[in-house]
């Protein structure tokens, strides 16, 4: 599937603005962004339930929306799966899955049984939706969506209504089945963790536009701006000014290439990239090219989060509060003096935004 320069306006305002994407067979692309950024509107235009104000949509090389007109939703070869599953309450599981199938009765029955077996629901073939758990209903909806073998699958936050304990397992099962079917998948979500877990490619959307796209590792480790850093995780931020392509901070100098002298910059680094050292008679570790200069702080609070500990420090400079995470259990008492350093290769320097 390919979408080019997609545009949609409401009351004169562009809620989807010049959005372009290409999805290959078997590829999972996550359209990721905060609520109201235009993700679901984009999905609805691709599905054919929302008109376009500009651009075009192609499926298998055929234009289904654009200057040549609109192909009806049911003729686009696109599968749909939404938050509420939208199962027919008066139909059995088997009849729900068979709803979009065409062809001989025996072929349809074989396809239904095969899919229900793959999602481990064959024993519920004659049950009705109200007799199933939320996770089971989700799997029925998945089986129904892929039963006609669509070339493209659209999924709008399909796991948001599930219990956290079930979500990861069902995500993995869903991903495996979609990969087997070979459909190109566009998954809309506002959860970075979900996108990182499922996607081959992430398209980060903000204010109606795609601001960055690429493999999850690249989008996470090479964010395009400060907002992209903060969307994926918590971050510490230092403000500094540039002199000679260098920004001076209490942690030493940071490279700021291409930014004019006197301009302010934001230096962001994630809590997991802060190194903690104990106080040694009023001094910390010596400066290194990798970690820069150590800065002194006092522990404000330490909490164990299950798989890591989160420690908050009040720094000597400007009373700033910085956060660090440590694997396993590390719970120093409030008031403990410690020294922090920051890995240079894990910092992001951007022109200040305000």
């Amino acid at each position: 599937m390919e979408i080019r320069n997609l545009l949609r306006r409401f009351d004169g305002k562009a809620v989807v603005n010049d959005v372009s994407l290409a999805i290959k067979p078997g590829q999972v692309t996550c359209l990721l962004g905060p609520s109201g950024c235009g993700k679901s509107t984009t999905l609805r235009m691709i599905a054919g339930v929302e008109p376009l104000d500009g651009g075009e949509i192609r499926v298998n090389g055929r234009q289904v929306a654009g200057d040549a007109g609109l192909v009806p939703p049911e003729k686009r070869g696109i599968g749909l799966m939404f938050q509420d599953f939208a199962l027919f309450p008066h139909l059995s599981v088997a009849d729900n899955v068979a709803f979009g199938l065409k062809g001989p009765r025996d072929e349809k029955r074989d396809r239904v049984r095969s899919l229900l077996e793959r999602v481990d629901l064959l024993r519920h073939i004659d049950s009705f939706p109200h007799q199933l758990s939320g996770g089971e209903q989700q799997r029925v909806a998945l089986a129904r969506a892929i039963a006609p073998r669509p070339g493209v699958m659209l999924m709008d936050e399909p796991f948001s209504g599930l219990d956290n304990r079930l979500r990861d397992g069902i995500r993995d099962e869903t991903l495996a089945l979609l990969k087997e079917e070979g459909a190109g998948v566009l998954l809309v979500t506002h959860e970075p963790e979900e996108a990182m877990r499922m996607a081959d490619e992430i398209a980060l959307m903000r204010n109606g536009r795609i601001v960055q796209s690429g493999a999850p590792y690249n989008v996470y480790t090479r964010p395009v701006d400060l907002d992209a850093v903060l969307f994926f995780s918590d971050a510490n931020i230092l403000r500094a000014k540039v002199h000679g392509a260098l920004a001076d901070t209490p942690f030493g100098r940071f490279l700021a290439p291409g930014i004019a002298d006197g301009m302010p910059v934001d230096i962001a680094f994630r809590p997991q990239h802060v190194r903690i050292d104990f106080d040694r008679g009023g001094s910390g570790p010596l400066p290194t090219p990798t970690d820069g200069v150590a800065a002194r702080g006092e522990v404000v609070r330490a909490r164990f989060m299950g798989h890591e500990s989160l420690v908050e420090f009040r720094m000597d400079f400007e009373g700033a509060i910085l956060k660090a995470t440590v694997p396993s259990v590390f719970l120093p008492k409030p008031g403990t003096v410690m020294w922090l350093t920051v890995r240079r290769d894990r910092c992001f320097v951007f022109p200040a935004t305000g």
Side-chain angles (χ1 to χ4, degrees):
M1 179 181 73
E2 186 176 8
I3 62 176
R4 301 174 184 169
N5 311 116
L6 219 55
L7 176 66
R8 180 64 174 139
R9 294 189 182 96
F10 291 123
D11 298 325
K13 180 182 178 182
V15 295
V16 174
N17 193 353
D18 197 27
V19 168
S20 297
L21 277 174
I23 303 173
K24 299 176 183 178
Q27 175 182 316
V28 177
T29 296
C30 279
L31 195 56
L32 173 67
S35 297
C37 73
K39 307 184 302 297
S40 292
T41 301
T42 299
L43 207 72
R44 290 169 61 83
M45 286 192 284
I46 297 170
V49 296
E50 186 78 42
L52 282 67
D53 290 315
E56 68 169 344
I57 301 166
R58 290 182 174 272
V59 177
N60 294 325
R62 178 179 66 132
Q63 189 184 85
V64 298
D67 53 12
L70 296 174
V71 174
E74 67 274 12
K75 295 183 179 180
R76 294 190 177 194
I78 292 175
L80 306 174
M81 189 171 171
F82 297 104
Q83 296 178 27
D84 59 3
F85 312 143
L87 297 176
F88 299 109
H90 63 291
L91 297 182
S92 69
V93 167
D95 289 339
N96 264 284
V97 175
F99 184 79
L101 291 177
K102 297 179 181 179
R105 182 186 183 93
D106 289 348
E107 286 184 12
K108 291 195 292 184
R109 184 182 66 246
D110 290 345
R111 176 67 170 161
V112 168
R113 292 184 65 86
S114 173
L115 285 171
L116 289 177
E117 187 172 17
R118 287 162 73 183
V119 297
D120 195 26
L121 287 176
L122 190 55
R123 65 190 181 280
H124 291 299
I125 190 169
D126 295 320
S127 300
F128 286 84
H130 72 271
Q131 297 173 306
L132 306 179
S133 68
E136 290 167 340
Q137 290 182 37
Q138 192 270 354
R139 284 182 281 162
V140 173
L142 173 63
R144 184 182 65 181
I146 67 175
R149 294 185 172 89
V152 177
M153 174 70 75
L154 306 180
M155 308 177 79
D156 191 358
E157 310 232 22
F159 311 108
S160 61
L162 298 179
D163 187 288
N164 286 337
R165 293 173 296 176
L166 296 173
R167 195 174 299 174
D168 287 349
I170 291 179
R171 281 172 180 158
D172 292 344
E173 292 171 5
T174 299
L175 185 59
L177 186 53
L178 291 171
K179 290 283 189 180
E180 285 179 28
E181 289 291 316
V185 179
L186 182 61
L187 170 68
V188 161
T189 182
H190 66 276
E191 297 183 12
E193 180 184 346
E194 183 165 87
M196 297 284 287
R197 188 181 187 104
M198 297 197 68
D200 299 307
E201 182 168 303
I202 291 174
L204 183 60
M205 197 167 184
R206 188 190 311 144
N207 299 325
R209 292 181 177 271
I210 293 176
V211 296
Q212 186 175 6
S213 62
Y217 176 82
N218 292 332
V219 175
Y220 185 84
T221 59
R222 300 171 190 168
V224 68
D225 56 24
L226 182 59
D227 285 337
V229 177
L230 295 173
F231 189 78
F232 278 93
S233 69
D234 199 0
N236 300 297
I237 302 171
L238 302 176
R239 176 64 58 88
K241 285 191 176 181
V242 173
H243 298 284
L246 294 170
D248 285 312
T249 78
F251 291 101
R253 290 179 169 180
F254 290 80
L255 292 173
I259 300 177
D261 280 5
M263 294 296 294
V265 291
D266 289 325
I267 302 168
F269 49 95
R270 296 183 170 111
Q272 64 264 36
H273 298 137
V274 177
R275 180 180 173 184
I276 302 172
D277 271 287
F278 291 97
D279 185 64
R280 301 176 179 87
S283 63
L286 295 174
T288 69
T290 301
D291 295 326
V293 177
R296 182 182 182 276
E298 291 187 1
V299 175
V300 175
R301 184 183 302 118
R303 291 165 286 174
F304 180 58
M305 309 297 290
H307 61 283
E308 64 185 10
S309 297
L310 173 64
V311 187
E312 297 180 22
F313 294 89
R314 178 172 285 107
M315 307 304 294
D316 284 357
F317 60 89
E318 302 173 354
I321 299 293
L322 297 185
K323 297 178 181 179
T325 55
V326 180
S328 191
V329 181
F330 181 69
L331 302 173
K333 293 181 180 180
T336 302
V337 174
M338 309 194 85
W339 294 79
L340 308 185
T341 53
V342 182
R343 285 185 56 176
R344 288 300 190 269
D345 61 345
R346 293 293 186 267
C347 293
F348 312 108
V349 180
F350 303 109
T353 55

